[in-house]
């Protein structure tokens, strides 16, 4: 993991319904609590501190970027955002596109220089409008807030007051809950449509897909639209994970989206972010979902579940709870990864297979934790760290004679 490859605090401005600002979804440190304000917060103390963490590149220091799950899987997000081809929506010849391109190039330059106080503005604006949703996914950490009737949201008008700074961004991402169910999110989309300068911004919507068909005409204002439609399994298995989802309905909505974009000459795209969890590796879900995506010309991207809730840890996050692998089956786990990677190599010419290879590696590390050898080595480490807590009859069979003698001396000294 190369911490210096992370572009986030030079690139993205994330704001959510808690009035919290962070550089990315994976940041685990102190977050700034603010009223939405790009001018004050882009070079705030909190953002500068995160840039300094990346600048120093010392992953041994415990901070909000330690053990970053994203960089573990991708290795870098430099290639993803700055070093790939310049995005199509900022290569256009109109004045606002030129401004976006100049800001993009300036952000890239200041990232390479690892500047702390920036002259560029955010390349990407990410806004989470709230938790309201029409699904109740078994693994969703927002369920607790919904059960507590959390109705917090962000004012669309308050965000739009900074429209001149929003215009310079290459991308705006909207998320929830279900963003197409949140009134302020819909109001914000309508506000964007009042200004033609937003026609060619890349609007990204992270959605469960259930309402997508209703909004195609309303979203037709945008020439560049990117839909992230989350799925973790295939067919009926997805319906068991995402309570309220109907597989056939989701498929129809995706087909309608694709046909509408084609018929109207839109630069629209749809991809599937798949968080790999225990259910993903049961009943051939990983392979079947990938095969269906490839058949329908849909890019699929892979991430690993990062369990937070008790439900996740008991039922889905086999990385933290390897005992779940017994229900999946070690051979089945390895077979599915191998067959899916082979499928991606053959049909999908992107870096997706490399992400899946990294997740396979982490999965095999979890498998290894079930082995007798791992358990013995783990026990040895515990003995060395705190031998007095381990019963004598256990360590006497495992540790070398010299170490057993030293433990005996410690025990006698304690008496």
């Amino acid at each position: 993991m190369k911490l210096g490859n992370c572009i986030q605090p030079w690139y993205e401005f994330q704001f959510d319904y808690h009035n919290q600002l962070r550089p990315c979804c994976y940041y685990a440190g102190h977050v700034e609590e603010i009223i939405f304000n790009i001018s004050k917060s882009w070079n705030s103390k909190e953002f500068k501190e995160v840039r300094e963490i990346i600048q120093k590149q010392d992953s041994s220091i415990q901070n909000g970027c330690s053990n970053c799950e994203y960089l573990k899987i991708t290795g870098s997000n430099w290639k993803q955002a700055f070093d790939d081809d310049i995005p199509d929506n900022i290569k256009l010849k109109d004045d606002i596109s030129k401004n976006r391109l100049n800001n993009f190039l300036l952000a890239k330059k200041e990232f390479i220089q690892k500047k702390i106080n920036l002259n560029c503005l955010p390349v990407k604006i990410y806004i989470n409008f709230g938790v309201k949703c029409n699904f109740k996914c078994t693994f969703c950490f927002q369920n607790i807030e919904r059960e507590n009737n959390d109705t917090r949201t962000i004012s669309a008008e308050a965000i739009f007051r900074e429209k001149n700074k929003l215009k310079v961004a290459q991308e705006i991402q909207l998320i929830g809950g279900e963003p197409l169910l949140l009134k302020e999110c819909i109001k914000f989309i309508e506000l964007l449509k009042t200004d033609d300068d937003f026609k060619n911004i890349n609007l990204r919507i992270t959605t469960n897909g259930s309402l997508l068909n209703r909004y195609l005409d309303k979203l037709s204002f945008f020439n560049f639209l990117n839909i992230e439609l989350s799925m973790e399994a295939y067919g009926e298995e997805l319906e068991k994970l995402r309570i309220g989802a109907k597989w056939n309905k989701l498929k129809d909505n995706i087909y309608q989206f694709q046909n509408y974009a084609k018929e109207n000459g839109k630069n629209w795209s749809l991809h599937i972010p798949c968080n790999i969890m225990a259910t993903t590796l049961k009943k051939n879900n990983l392979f079947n979902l990938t095969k269906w995506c490839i058949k329908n010309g849909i890019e699929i991207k892979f991430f690993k579940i990062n369990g937070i809730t008790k439900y996740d840890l008991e039922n889905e996050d086999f990385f933290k709870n390897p005992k779940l692998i017994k229900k999946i089956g070690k051979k089945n786990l390895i077979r599915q990864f191998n067959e899916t990677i082979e499928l991606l190599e053959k049909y999908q010419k992107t870096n997706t297979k490399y992400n899946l290879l990294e997740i396979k590696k982490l999965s095999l590390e979890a498998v290894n934790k079930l082995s007798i050898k791992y358990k013995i080595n783990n026990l040895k480490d515990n003995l060395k760290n705190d031998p007095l807590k381990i019963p004598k009859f256990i360590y006497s069979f495992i540790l070398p004679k010299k170490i057993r003698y030293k433990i005996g001396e410690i025990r006698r000294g304690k008496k």
Side-chain angles (χ1 to χ4, degrees):
M1 182 185 85
K2 294 182 179 180
L3 198 56
N5 286 340
C6 178
I7 65 168
Q8 285 304 122
W10 288 265
Y11 180 81
E12 187 165 345
F13 186 97
Q14 282 202 8
F15 190 73
D16 70 20
Y17 56 95
H18 300 105
N19 287 332
Q20 290 182 335
L21 175 69
R22 56 173 56 80
C24 78
C25 301
Y26 293 85
Y27 181 68
H30 172 72
V31 293
E32 183 181 0
E33 293 193 19
I34 63 162
I35 301 301
F36 188 90
N37 190 308
I38 296 172
S39 303
K40 290 183 179 179
S41 295
W42 186 233
N43 281 312
S44 64
K45 177 185 174 185
E46 284 82 358
F47 251 88
K48 287 180 181 178
E49 285 177 351
V50 182
R51 290 178 192 131
E52 286 174 353
I53 289 170
I54 309 300
Q55 183 191 59
K56 292 175 182 175
Q57 299 192 46
D58 189 350
S59 57
S60 64
I61 299 174
Q62 291 300 306
N63 53 51
C65 298
S66 300
N67 300 312
C68 175
E69 293 287 341
Y70 186 84
L71 287 180
K72 278 182 186 177
I73 295 170
T74 65
S76 166
N77 59 2
W78 159 268
K79 289 285 183 187
Q80 177 186 327
F82 273 154
D83 206 29
D84 285 346
D85 291 338
I86 293 171
D88 288 340
N89 71 311
I90 59 175
K91 289 195 287 189
L92 304 173
K93 301 302 181 183
D94 57 288
D95 289 340
I96 190 64
S97 296
K98 290 176 184 176
N99 290 341
R100 287 177 187 140
L101 176 59
N102 289 335
N103 186 62
F104 177 91
L105 295 174
L106 179 58
K108 179 177 179 177
K109 179 182 177 180
E110 293 187 323
F111 164 72
I112 293 170
Q113 296 171 339
K114 294 295 189 294
K115 284 188 68 174
I116 304 302
N117 198 67
L118 305 184
N119 293 312
C120 71
L121 287 167
V123 175
K124 177 179 177 181
I125 309 289
Y126 171 108
I127 310 167
N128 188 326
F129 278 92
V131 301
K132 187 177 181 181
C133 190
N134 53 344
F135 287 2
K136 188 174 182 180
C137 303
T138 57
F139 52 88
C140 183
F141 65 91
Q142 290 181 327
N143 284 336
I144 296 172
E145 291 178 309
R146 280 190 278 272
E147 288 166 4
N148 290 329
N149 296 315
D150 191 332
T151 57
R152 284 177 292 181
T153 189
I154 306 169
S155 165
E157 291 178 352
I159 298 170
F160 199 66
R161 288 189 199 114
E162 291 202 86
K163 71 174 185 176
N164 289 334
K165 293 182 177 62
L166 297 175
K167 286 181 182 182
V168 179
Q170 180 262 328
E171 179 177 306
I172 295 176
Q173 180 171 358
L174 310 179
I175 192 171
E178 171 47 51
L180 298 180
L181 197 65
L182 289 156
K183 290 182 180 178
E184 289 299 318
C185 181
I186 300 303
K187 186 187 293 185
F188 181 68
I189 292 172
E190 293 299 328
L191 286 170
L192 292 176
K193 289 166 61 178
T194 63
D195 192 324
D196 282 351
D197 281 347
F198 289 106
K199 267 185 178 292
N200 291 320
I201 200 158
N202 186 48
L203 183 67
R204 182 183 297 263
I205 302 177
T206 301
T207 173
N208 61 35
S210 61
L211 304 174
L212 187 57
N213 60 314
R214 301 182 190 179
Y215 284 90
L216 297 178
D217 286 335
K218 291 183 179 180
L219 293 169
S220 64
F221 169 86
F222 302 97
N223 291 324
F224 295 85
L225 179 64
N226 190 321
I227 297 295
E228 289 187 338
L229 203 157
S230 305
M231 290 183 174
E232 302 75 25
Y234 178 85
E236 291 181 359
E237 296 302 306
L238 179 73
E239 295 176 2
K240 293 175 185 176
L241 272 179
R242 293 181 164 262
I243 310 301
K246 299 297 179 186
W247 173 252
N248 287 332
K249 173 63 175 171
L250 291 175
K251 285 197 303 181
D252 287 343
N253 284 357
I254 289 171
Y255 299 149
Q256 285 186 51
F257 176 87
Q258 290 177 319
N259 291 334
Y260 189 96
K262 186 176 180 180
E263 290 168 3
N264 292 277
K266 296 291 186 181
N267 291 290
W268 287 8
S269 62
L270 183 147
H271 70 273
I272 305 293
C274 174
N275 273 318
I276 292 180
M277 53 186 71
T279 299
T280 314
L281 294 170
K282 295 174 183 174
K283 299 188 177 181
N284 223 29
N285 275 308
L286 176 61
F287 181 82
N288 288 336
L289 180 60
T290 304
K291 184 179 179 181
W292 178 81
C293 286
I294 290 172
K295 179 183 176 182
N296 291 284
I298 300 167
E299 184 180 6
I300 184 168
K301 298 181 179 180
F302 299 103
F303 305 90
K304 63 179 280 293
I305 185 174
N306 183 21
I308 298 173
T309 67
K310 183 181 178 183
Y311 180 91
D312 286 341
L313 298 173
E314 290 180 352
N315 298 280
E316 295 294 352
D317 193 343
F318 64 91
F319 301 95
K320 292 178 182 175
N321 181 9
K323 290 180 181 179
L324 292 171
I325 293 169
K326 293 178 181 178
K327 296 181 180 179
I328 300 168
K330 177 182 173 181
K331 289 183 179 179
N332 179 50
L333 179 146
I334 295 171
R335 176 191 59 77
Q336 267 203 87
F337 273 111
N338 290 342
E339 290 181 356
T340 306
I341 289 165
E342 185 179 341
L343 196 65
L344 291 167
E345 286 176 341
K346 191 173 182 180
Y347 294 109
Q348 189 162 306
K349 308 299 182 184
T350 69
N351 63 357
T352 302
K353 71 171 184 178
Y354 299 111
N355 290 3
L356 195 58
L357 280 166
E358 286 301 315
I359 296 173
K360 176 188 173 183
K361 180 181 175 182
L362 295 172
S363 299
L364 292 178
E365 288 175 6
V367 169
N368 183 49
K369 291 177 182 179
L370 296 173
S371 69
I372 298 297
K373 183 178 179 181
Y374 176 87
K375 290 177 180 178
I376 290 173
N377 288 335
N378 194 47
L379 181 57
K380 284 182 180 179
D381 290 338
N382 288 336
L383 283 166
K384 291 174 185 176
N385 293 332
D386 200 349
L388 301 181
K389 290 186 178 180
I390 308 297
K392 181 178 178 180
F393 75 89
I394 293 178
Y395 75 72
S396 63
F397 286 101
I398 297 173
L399 294 180
K401 188 174 181 180
K402 284 185 179 180
I403 296 177
R404 294 204 306 267
Y405 181 77
K406 287 182 179 178
I407 291 175
E409 283 186 329
I410 294 171
R411 286 180 181 273
R412 288 189 292 275
K414 289 287 183 181
K415 291 177 181 178

